[in-house]
mmCIF file of all heavy atoms in Angstrom:
data_model
loop_
_atom_site.group_PDB
_atom_site.id
_atom_site.type_symbol
_atom_site.label_atom_id
_atom_site.label_comp_id
_atom_site.label_asym_id
_atom_site.label_seq_id
_atom_site.Cartn_x
_atom_site.Cartn_y
_atom_site.Cartn_z
ATOM 1 N N ARG B 1 -134.770 44.239 22.239
ATOM 2 C CA ARG B 1 -135.569 43.149 21.882
ATOM 3 C C ARG B 1 -136.405 43.422 20.690
ATOM 4 O O ARG B 1 -137.556 43.360 20.717
ATOM 5 C CB ARG B 1 -136.453 42.662 23.012
ATOM 6 C CG ARG B 1 -135.609 42.239 24.273
ATOM 7 C CD ARG B 1 -136.357 41.505 25.309
ATOM 8 N NE ARG B 1 -136.806 40.166 24.927
ATOM 9 C CZ ARG B 1 -136.091 39.085 24.844
ATOM 10 N NH1 ARG B 1 -134.811 39.075 25.177
ATOM 11 N NH2 ARG B 1 -136.634 37.924 24.513
ATOM 12 N N VAL B 2 -135.719 43.818 19.693
ATOM 13 C CA VAL B 2 -136.291 44.122 18.402
ATOM 14 C C VAL B 2 -135.848 43.093 17.271
ATOM 15 O O VAL B 2 -134.849 42.389 17.441
ATOM 16 C CB VAL B 2 -135.995 45.521 17.835
ATOM 17 C CG1 VAL B 2 -136.577 46.618 18.755
ATOM 18 C CG2 VAL B 2 -134.452 45.751 17.640
ATOM 19 N N THR B 3 -136.595 43.096 16.165
ATOM 20 C CA THR B 3 -136.195 42.212 15.050
ATOM 21 C C THR B 3 -135.426 43.103 14.016
ATOM 22 O O THR B 3 -135.949 44.060 13.501
ATOM 23 C CB THR B 3 -137.338 41.509 14.410
ATOM 24 O OG1 THR B 3 -138.024 40.693 15.365
ATOM 25 C CG2 THR B 3 -136.924 40.697 13.200
ATOM 26 N N ARG B 4 -134.132 42.854 13.910
ATOM 27 C CA ARG B 4 -133.202 43.673 13.043
ATOM 28 C C ARG B 4 -133.148 43.019 11.629
ATOM 29 O O ARG B 4 -133.406 41.871 11.484
ATOM 30 C CB ARG B 4 -131.906 43.874 13.688
ATOM 31 C CG ARG B 4 -131.967 44.541 15.051
ATOM 32 C CD ARG B 4 -130.575 44.866 15.569
ATOM 33 N NE ARG B 4 -130.716 45.592 16.809
ATOM 34 C CZ ARG B 4 -130.983 46.847 17.002
ATOM 35 N NH1 ARG B 4 -131.126 47.598 16.001
ATOM 36 N NH2 ARG B 4 -130.951 47.402 18.214
ATOM 37 N N TYR B 5 -132.696 43.802 10.685
ATOM 38 C CA TYR B 5 -132.365 43.247 9.311
ATOM 39 C C TYR B 5 -131.217 43.914 8.708
ATOM 40 O O TYR B 5 -130.830 45.031 9.027
ATOM 41 C CB TYR B 5 -133.693 43.372 8.441
ATOM 42 C CG TYR B 5 -133.952 44.761 7.943
ATOM 43 C CD1 TYR B 5 -133.586 45.162 6.663
ATOM 44 C CD2 TYR B 5 -134.587 45.627 8.741
ATOM 45 C CE1 TYR B 5 -133.794 46.462 6.204
ATOM 46 C CE2 TYR B 5 -134.836 46.942 8.212
ATOM 47 C CZ TYR B 5 -134.444 47.346 7.010
ATOM 48 O OH TYR B 5 -134.735 48.614 6.546
ATOM 49 N N ARG B 6 -130.718 43.224 7.721
ATOM 50 C CA ARG B 6 -129.596 43.652 6.864
ATOM 51 C C ARG B 6 -129.920 43.272 5.374
ATOM 52 O O ARG B 6 -130.733 42.400 5.231
ATOM 53 C CB ARG B 6 -128.271 43.004 7.198
ATOM 54 C CG ARG B 6 -127.894 42.917 8.713
ATOM 55 C CD ARG B 6 -127.559 44.282 9.122
ATOM 56 N NE ARG B 6 -127.097 44.304 10.599
ATOM 57 C CZ ARG B 6 -127.760 44.849 11.557
ATOM 58 N NH1 ARG B 6 -128.939 45.409 11.396
ATOM 59 N NH2 ARG B 6 -127.253 44.955 12.791
ATOM 60 N N TYR B 7 -129.335 43.839 4.461
ATOM 61 C CA TYR B 7 -129.607 43.497 3.083
ATOM 62 C C TYR B 7 -128.330 43.728 2.166
ATOM 63 O O TYR B 7 -127.417 44.475 2.565
ATOM 64 C CB TYR B 7 -130.800 44.215 2.519
ATOM 65 C CG TYR B 7 -130.596 45.719 2.340
ATOM 66 C CD1 TYR B 7 -130.235 46.290 1.053
ATOM 67 C CD2 TYR B 7 -130.783 46.630 3.389
ATOM 68 C CE1 TYR B 7 -130.063 47.608 0.873
ATOM 69 C CE2 TYR B 7 -130.550 47.975 3.213
ATOM 70 C CZ TYR B 7 -130.228 48.494 1.963
ATOM 71 O OH TYR B 7 -130.042 49.820 1.796
ATOM 72 N N LYS B 8 -128.382 43.083 1.012
ATOM 73 C CA LYS B 8 -127.259 43.278 0.075
ATOM 74 C C LYS B 8 -127.721 42.681 -1.273
ATOM 75 O O LYS B 8 -128.645 41.820 -1.318
ATOM 76 C CB LYS B 8 -126.014 42.648 0.543
ATOM 77 C CG LYS B 8 -125.979 41.170 0.781
ATOM 78 C CD LYS B 8 -124.662 40.741 1.282
ATOM 79 C CE LYS B 8 -124.553 39.456 1.996
ATOM 80 N NZ LYS B 8 -123.157 39.057 2.338
ATOM 81 N N LYS B 9 -127.054 43.052 -2.312
ATOM 82 C CA LYS B 9 -127.365 42.651 -3.742
ATOM 83 C C LYS B 9 -126.821 41.259 -3.934
ATOM 84 O O LYS B 9 -127.602 40.397 -4.371
ATOM 85 C CB LYS B 9 -126.835 43.680 -4.666
ATOM 86 C CG LYS B 9 -127.243 43.458 -6.129
ATOM 87 C CD LYS B 9 -128.547 44.065 -6.337
ATOM 88 C CE LYS B 9 -128.825 44.102 -7.855
ATOM 89 N NZ LYS B 9 -130.237 44.286 -8.100
ATOM 90 N N ASN B 10 -125.591 41.066 -3.703
ATOM 91 C CA ASN B 10 -124.951 39.780 -3.869
ATOM 92 C C ASN B 10 -124.397 39.167 -2.561
ATOM 93 O O ASN B 10 -123.952 39.917 -1.739
ATOM 94 C CB ASN B 10 -123.697 39.926 -4.845
ATOM 95 C CG ASN B 10 -124.126 40.548 -6.119
ATOM 96 O OD1 ASN B 10 -125.009 39.988 -6.847
ATOM 97 N ND2 ASN B 10 -123.653 41.695 -6.495
ATOM 98 N N LEU B 11 -124.480 37.878 -2.421
ATOM 99 C CA LEU B 11 -124.040 37.288 -1.207
ATOM 100 C C LEU B 11 -122.560 37.528 -0.855
ATOM 101 O O LEU B 11 -122.202 37.448 0.326
ATOM 102 C CB LEU B 11 -124.246 35.774 -1.222
ATOM 103 C CG LEU B 11 -125.761 35.403 -1.129
ATOM 104 C CD1 LEU B 11 -125.947 33.865 -1.267
ATOM 105 C CD2 LEU B 11 -126.245 35.769 0.275
ATOM 106 N N ASP B 12 -121.712 37.884 -1.855
ATOM 107 C CA ASP B 12 -120.366 38.110 -1.554
ATOM 108 C C ASP B 12 -120.130 39.563 -1.068
ATOM 109 O O ASP B 12 -119.031 39.912 -0.635
ATOM 110 C CB ASP B 12 -119.442 37.916 -2.883
ATOM 111 C CG ASP B 12 -119.439 36.410 -3.250
ATOM 112 O OD1 ASP B 12 -119.519 35.579 -2.271
ATOM 113 O OD2 ASP B 12 -119.302 36.048 -4.431
ATOM 114 N N ASP B 13 -121.137 40.510 -1.236
ATOM 115 C CA ASP B 13 -120.997 41.863 -0.777
ATOM 116 C C ASP B 13 -121.118 42.019 0.694
ATOM 117 O O ASP B 13 -121.719 41.079 1.317
ATOM 118 C CB ASP B 13 -122.099 42.722 -1.473
ATOM 119 C CG ASP B 13 -122.067 42.799 -2.968
ATOM 120 O OD1 ASP B 13 -120.954 42.450 -3.560
ATOM 121 O OD2 ASP B 13 -123.103 43.032 -3.577
ATOM 122 N N PRO B 14 -120.607 43.051 1.283
ATOM 123 C CA PRO B 14 -120.863 43.301 2.681
ATOM 124 C C PRO B 14 -122.314 43.622 2.921
ATOM 125 O O PRO B 14 -122.989 44.158 2.110
ATOM 126 C CB PRO B 14 -119.888 44.472 3.043
ATOM 127 C CG PRO B 14 -119.478 45.018 1.790
ATOM 128 C CD PRO B 14 -119.759 44.052 0.654
ATOM 129 N N TRP B 15 -122.801 43.239 4.132
ATOM 130 C CA TRP B 15 -124.236 43.594 4.497
ATOM 131 C C TRP B 15 -124.389 45.087 4.632
ATOM 132 O O TRP B 15 -123.566 45.762 5.205
ATOM 133 C CB TRP B 15 -124.629 42.845 5.741
ATOM 134 C CG TRP B 15 -124.723 41.370 5.587
ATOM 135 C CD1 TRP B 15 -123.921 40.403 5.988
ATOM 136 C CD2 TRP B 15 -125.871 40.716 4.915
ATOM 137 N NE1 TRP B 15 -124.350 39.162 5.549
ATOM 138 C CE2 TRP B 15 -125.623 39.258 4.977
ATOM 139 C CE3 TRP B 15 -127.070 41.137 4.402
ATOM 140 C CZ2 TRP B 15 -126.487 38.364 4.438
ATOM 141 C CZ3 TRP B 15 -127.923 40.151 3.846
ATOM 142 C CH2 TRP B 15 -127.667 38.834 3.858
ATOM 143 N N ILE B 16 -125.465 45.641 4.167
ATOM 144 C CA ILE B 16 -125.846 46.983 4.342
ATOM 145 C C ILE B 16 -126.663 47.089 5.614
ATOM 146 O O ILE B 16 -127.687 46.320 5.759
ATOM 147 C CB ILE B 16 -126.623 47.546 3.097
ATOM 148 C CG1 ILE B 16 -125.722 47.506 1.890
ATOM 149 C CG2 ILE B 16 -127.132 48.937 3.453
ATOM 150 C CD1 ILE B 16 -126.507 47.681 0.585
ATOM 151 N N VAL B 17 -126.298 47.948 6.475
ATOM 152 C CA VAL B 17 -127.048 48.184 7.768
ATOM 153 C C VAL B 17 -127.747 49.486 7.684
ATOM 154 O O VAL B 17 -127.092 50.546 7.660
ATOM 155 C CB VAL B 17 -126.137 48.194 9.025
ATOM 156 C CG1 VAL B 17 -126.943 48.424 10.237
ATOM 157 C CG2 VAL B 17 -125.377 46.882 9.080
ATOM 158 N N PRO B 18 -129.044 49.515 7.427
ATOM 159 C CA PRO B 18 -129.740 50.832 7.252
ATOM 160 C C PRO B 18 -129.781 51.653 8.558
ATOM 161 O O PRO B 18 -129.528 51.068 9.635
ATOM 162 C CB PRO B 18 -131.233 50.369 6.872
ATOM 163 C CG PRO B 18 -131.345 48.983 7.365
ATOM 164 C CD PRO B 18 -130.021 48.368 7.346
ATOM 165 N N GLU B 19 -130.087 52.947 8.376
ATOM 166 C CA GLU B 19 -130.032 53.768 9.581
ATOM 167 C C GLU B 19 -131.056 53.278 10.633
ATOM 168 O O GLU B 19 -130.712 53.260 11.852
ATOM 169 C CB GLU B 19 -130.346 55.225 9.204
ATOM 170 C CG GLU B 19 -130.267 56.263 10.302
ATOM 171 C CD GLU B 19 -130.484 57.661 9.857
ATOM 172 O OE1 GLU B 19 -130.371 57.958 8.656
ATOM 173 O OE2 GLU B 19 -130.882 58.435 10.699
ATOM 174 N N VAL B 20 -132.207 52.916 10.229
ATOM 175 C CA VAL B 20 -133.162 52.230 11.070
ATOM 176 C C VAL B 20 -133.237 50.787 10.719
ATOM 177 O O VAL B 20 -133.728 50.437 9.653
ATOM 178 C CB VAL B 20 -134.635 52.892 11.008
ATOM 179 C CG1 VAL B 20 -135.594 52.151 11.821
ATOM 180 C CG2 VAL B 20 -134.534 54.311 11.340
ATOM 181 N N ASP B 21 -132.555 49.965 11.495
ATOM 182 C CA ASP B 21 -132.320 48.619 10.992
ATOM 183 C C ASP B 21 -133.159 47.580 11.685
ATOM 184 O O ASP B 21 -132.884 46.414 11.850
ATOM 185 C CB ASP B 21 -130.837 48.193 11.308
ATOM 186 C CG ASP B 21 -130.490 48.083 12.851
ATOM 187 O OD1 ASP B 21 -131.231 48.591 13.675
ATOM 188 O OD2 ASP B 21 -129.544 47.323 13.117
ATOM 189 N N HIS B 22 -134.413 48.015 12.164
ATOM 190 C CA HIS B 22 -135.308 47.039 12.828
ATOM 191 C C HIS B 22 -136.724 47.392 12.309
ATOM 192 O O HIS B 22 -137.066 48.417 11.800
ATOM 193 C CB HIS B 22 -135.298 47.187 14.294
ATOM 194 C CG HIS B 22 -135.606 48.502 14.864
ATOM 195 N ND1 HIS B 22 -134.652 49.563 14.924
ATOM 196 C CD2 HIS B 22 -136.769 49.019 15.314
ATOM 197 C CE1 HIS B 22 -135.211 50.654 15.432
ATOM 198 N NE2 HIS B 22 -136.514 50.324 15.611
ATOM 199 N N PHE B 23 -137.523 46.284 12.444
ATOM 200 C CA PHE B 23 -138.974 46.360 12.068
ATOM 201 C C PHE B 23 -139.741 46.675 13.310
ATOM 202 O O PHE B 23 -139.409 46.352 14.401
ATOM 203 C CB PHE B 23 -139.528 44.956 11.603
ATOM 204 C CG PHE B 23 -138.732 44.498 10.385
ATOM 205 C CD1 PHE B 23 -137.857 43.404 10.541
ATOM 206 C CD2 PHE B 23 -138.953 45.024 9.141
ATOM 207 C CE1 PHE B 23 -137.208 42.882 9.446
ATOM 208 C CE2 PHE B 23 -138.375 44.461 8.041
ATOM 209 C CZ PHE B 23 -137.428 43.369 8.169
ATOM 210 N N ASP B 24 -140.755 47.487 13.141
ATOM 211 C CA ASP B 24 -141.685 47.872 14.257
ATOM 212 C C ASP B 24 -140.858 48.518 15.396
ATOM 213 O O ASP B 24 -140.168 49.453 15.170
ATOM 214 C CB ASP B 24 -142.491 46.672 14.659
ATOM 215 C CG ASP B 24 -143.787 46.994 15.436
ATOM 216 O OD1 ASP B 24 -144.050 48.284 15.520
ATOM 217 O OD2 ASP B 24 -144.498 46.207 15.822
ATOM 218 N N ASP B 25 -140.953 48.036 16.569
ATOM 219 C CA ASP B 25 -140.281 48.622 17.658
ATOM 220 C C ASP B 25 -140.041 47.579 18.794
ATOM 221 O O ASP B 25 -140.327 46.424 18.589
ATOM 222 C CB ASP B 25 -141.071 49.787 18.168
ATOM 223 C CG ASP B 25 -140.150 50.934 18.827
ATOM 224 O OD1 ASP B 25 -138.915 50.616 19.115
ATOM 225 O OD2 ASP B 25 -140.588 51.980 19.105
ATOM 226 N N GLU B 26 -139.642 48.049 19.966
ATOM 227 C CA GLU B 26 -139.417 47.149 21.121
ATOM 228 C C GLU B 26 -140.655 46.323 21.383
ATOM 229 O O GLU B 26 -141.767 46.808 21.361
ATOM 230 C CB GLU B 26 -138.999 47.913 22.273
ATOM 231 C CG GLU B 26 -137.722 48.610 22.229
ATOM 232 C CD GLU B 26 -137.163 49.310 23.392
ATOM 233 O OE1 GLU B 26 -137.786 49.103 24.539
ATOM 234 O OE2 GLU B 26 -136.266 50.069 23.289
ATOM 235 N N GLY B 27 -140.405 45.024 21.534
ATOM 236 C CA GLY B 27 -141.495 44.113 21.869
ATOM 237 C C GLY B 27 -141.840 43.265 20.763
ATOM 238 O O GLY B 27 -142.385 42.124 20.895
ATOM 239 N N PHE B 28 -141.628 43.660 19.482
ATOM 240 C CA PHE B 28 -141.962 42.783 18.348
ATOM 241 C C PHE B 28 -140.635 41.912 18.311
ATOM 242 O O PHE B 28 -139.652 42.404 17.820
ATOM 243 C CB PHE B 28 -142.201 43.530 17.007
ATOM 244 C CG PHE B 28 -142.387 42.558 15.882
ATOM 245 C CD1 PHE B 28 -143.571 41.929 15.757
ATOM 246 C CD2 PHE B 28 -141.388 42.337 14.984
ATOM 247 C CE1 PHE B 28 -143.841 41.055 14.719
ATOM 248 C CE2 PHE B 28 -141.514 41.374 13.946
ATOM 249 C CZ PHE B 28 -142.708 40.846 13.883
ATOM 250 N N TYR B 29 -140.847 40.651 18.519
ATOM 251 C CA TYR B 29 -139.598 39.816 18.659
ATOM 252 C C TYR B 29 -139.829 38.430 17.938
ATOM 253 O O TYR B 29 -140.913 38.006 17.627
ATOM 254 C CB TYR B 29 -139.461 39.469 20.196
ATOM 255 C CG TYR B 29 -138.093 38.937 20.474
ATOM 256 C CD1 TYR B 29 -136.986 39.767 20.450
ATOM 257 C CD2 TYR B 29 -137.920 37.596 20.788
ATOM 258 C CE1 TYR B 29 -135.694 39.253 20.682
ATOM 259 C CE2 TYR B 29 -136.585 37.022 21.022
ATOM 260 C CZ TYR B 29 -135.575 37.929 20.984
ATOM 261 O OH TYR B 29 -134.300 37.449 21.261
ATOM 262 N N ALA B 30 -138.639 37.897 17.548
ATOM 263 C CA ALA B 30 -138.628 36.612 16.913
ATOM 264 C C ALA B 30 -139.290 36.678 15.533
ATOM 265 O O ALA B 30 -139.932 35.755 15.065
ATOM 266 C CB ALA B 30 -139.203 35.460 17.762
ATOM 267 N N GLY B 31 -139.176 37.859 14.938
ATOM 268 C CA GLY B 31 -139.833 38.071 13.619
ATOM 269 C C GLY B 31 -139.083 37.286 12.538
ATOM 270 O O GLY B 31 -137.916 37.139 12.516
ATOM 271 N N LYS B 32 -139.913 36.736 11.694
ATOM 272 C CA LYS B 32 -139.384 35.912 10.502
ATOM 273 C C LYS B 32 -140.005 36.627 9.228
ATOM 274 O O LYS B 32 -141.077 37.082 9.257
ATOM 275 C CB LYS B 32 -139.840 34.495 10.647
ATOM 276 C CG LYS B 32 -139.385 33.788 11.900
ATOM 277 C CD LYS B 32 -137.974 33.377 11.881
ATOM 278 C CE LYS B 32 -137.808 31.954 11.281
ATOM 279 N NZ LYS B 32 -136.370 31.584 11.200
ATOM 280 N N ILE B 33 -139.208 36.359 8.146
ATOM 281 C CA ILE B 33 -139.590 37.076 6.896
ATOM 282 C C ILE B 33 -140.032 35.878 5.964
ATOM 283 O O ILE B 33 -139.325 34.913 5.875
ATOM 284 C CB ILE B 33 -138.510 37.837 6.223
ATOM 285 C CG1 ILE B 33 -138.016 38.962 7.163
ATOM 286 C CG2 ILE B 33 -139.009 38.458 4.950
ATOM 287 C CD1 ILE B 33 -136.737 39.628 6.617
ATOM 288 N N THR B 34 -141.110 36.061 5.218
ATOM 289 C CA THR B 34 -141.515 35.136 4.145
ATOM 290 C C THR B 34 -142.039 36.066 3.108
ATOM 291 O O THR B 34 -142.347 37.201 3.223
ATOM 292 C CB THR B 34 -142.405 34.007 4.610
ATOM 293 O OG1 THR B 34 -142.494 32.966 3.624
ATOM 294 C CG2 THR B 34 -143.746 34.542 4.998
ATOM 295 N N GLY B 35 -142.394 35.500 1.969
ATOM 296 C CA GLY B 35 -143.093 36.269 0.906
ATOM 297 C C GLY B 35 -143.314 35.435 -0.405
ATOM 298 O O GLY B 35 -143.071 34.252 -0.444
ATOM 299 N N ASP B 36 -143.920 36.155 -1.345
ATOM 300 C CA ASP B 36 -144.058 35.624 -2.667
ATOM 301 C C ASP B 36 -143.299 36.566 -3.647
ATOM 302 O O ASP B 36 -142.450 37.383 -3.195
ATOM 303 C CB ASP B 36 -145.534 35.464 -3.029
ATOM 304 C CG ASP B 36 -146.348 36.809 -2.921
ATOM 305 O OD1 ASP B 36 -145.730 37.929 -3.011
ATOM 306 O OD2 ASP B 36 -147.521 36.780 -2.717
ATOM 307 N N GLU B 37 -143.569 36.590 -4.915
ATOM 308 C CA GLU B 37 -142.794 37.373 -5.896
ATOM 309 C C GLU B 37 -143.049 38.864 -5.644
ATOM 310 O O GLU B 37 -142.263 39.676 -6.084
ATOM 311 C CB GLU B 37 -143.207 36.930 -7.231
ATOM 312 C CG GLU B 37 -142.731 35.507 -7.647
ATOM 313 C CD GLU B 37 -143.101 35.125 -8.976
ATOM 314 O OE1 GLU B 37 -143.608 35.948 -9.743
ATOM 315 O OE2 GLU B 37 -142.867 33.881 -9.308
ATOM 316 N N ASP B 38 -144.237 39.273 -5.097
ATOM 317 C CA ASP B 38 -144.571 40.687 -5.032
ATOM 318 C C ASP B 38 -144.538 41.263 -3.658
ATOM 319 O O ASP B 38 -144.579 42.450 -3.516
ATOM 320 C CB ASP B 38 -145.966 40.895 -5.618
ATOM 321 C CG ASP B 38 -145.981 40.487 -7.140
ATOM 322 O OD1 ASP B 38 -145.042 40.895 -7.838
ATOM 323 O OD2 ASP B 38 -146.960 39.825 -7.503
ATOM 324 N N ARG B 39 -144.673 40.510 -2.637
ATOM 325 C CA ARG B 39 -144.784 40.968 -1.250
ATOM 326 C C ARG B 39 -143.931 40.212 -0.315
ATOM 327 O O ARG B 39 -143.700 39.019 -0.447
ATOM 328 C CB ARG B 39 -146.261 40.858 -0.783
ATOM 329 C CG ARG B 39 -147.258 41.558 -1.695
ATOM 330 C CD ARG B 39 -148.640 41.237 -1.338
ATOM 331 N NE ARG B 39 -148.956 39.788 -1.567
ATOM 332 C CZ ARG B 39 -149.982 39.183 -1.296
ATOM 333 N NH1 ARG B 39 -150.944 39.821 -0.708
ATOM 334 N NH2 ARG B 39 -150.148 37.869 -1.522
#
């Protein structure tokens, strides 16, 4: 029950799965990402 993530440079590229592919730890759930230009 963690929030996982993937990333890539271009949408046509395969997703990169980092070695640690989740934020925080068990119990942080339904995480959503938002931001501005710097954060």
